[in-house]
Amino acid sequence: MIVAVLLSAGWLVYQWKAYGKAKFIRYPEFGIAIPETYSIHGIDVSKYQQGISWEDVKSMQVQKIQLGFAFIKATQGIGKTDEKFYRNWKKARQAGMVCGAYHFFIGSKDGKMQAENFIDKVDLKTGDLPPVLDVEQLNGTSVSSFRKEVKEWLEAAENYYRVKPIIYTNVDFYNHFLGSEFDEYPLWVAHYYQPGQPRISRGWTFWQHSDEGRVNGIAAKVDFNVFEGDSIQFRNILIQ
């Protein structure tokens, strides 16, 4: 019992120190080229960003660019939860960020069970972004089996949240392993260091344009994203 209490106290002290450090992280610029033709900008985070001072993330502004949304890693596979999810989810909302949660998909695992893991951990409300499925690896499974399990996740999430989920992946992976079978889903596409937009033939909703960004309140580098449309279109994709 004493050991458990000491471990718990040590963890709380570590968390407090990580947050205190984040409060003093300051950058004069975002550290990357920002595609300024887009009006709505955001980031995505997971445990790898460690402690985050969300009020400082939200208040940072460089010229006309200010971050307004954040995708936050929630779950992975059948049983894992990102260790920073609950804190990030709560604090980002409190800071006024529009939030979305994503699940990191394991291609060799049952899609429906993975969806149940996400549903069990993520309570989406009015004003949140739709659920996101992050698909990046086959994990040794066949393409046909992979697509089947991806569809299981997407259908289970859509039935539960009553909104069509967003697929996250990179351009090459989408073209080779997903393709037209998934064109009905909104796409959050990763394609770095492009001058104005990702090079993909189908439409997209979010574009992850860099993994090298810097933001006040976060010590580590951060992925930067833009929304394809204007503020009215952005409000329309949020959960009603």
Side-chain angles (χ1 to χ4, degrees), residues 17 51 64 107 119 148 150 160 210 223-225 229:
K17 286 184 176 180
K64 295 181 179 181
I119 290 166
K148 175 182 175 294
V150 167
Y160 182 82
S210 178
D223 299 332
F224 266 59
N225 306 274

Side-chain angles (χ1 to χ4, degrees), residues 63-74:
Q63 298 181 17
K64 295 181 179 181
I65 306 299
Q66 189 172 19
L67 301 175
F69 69 86
F71 286 113
I72 299 169
K73 184 179 180 182

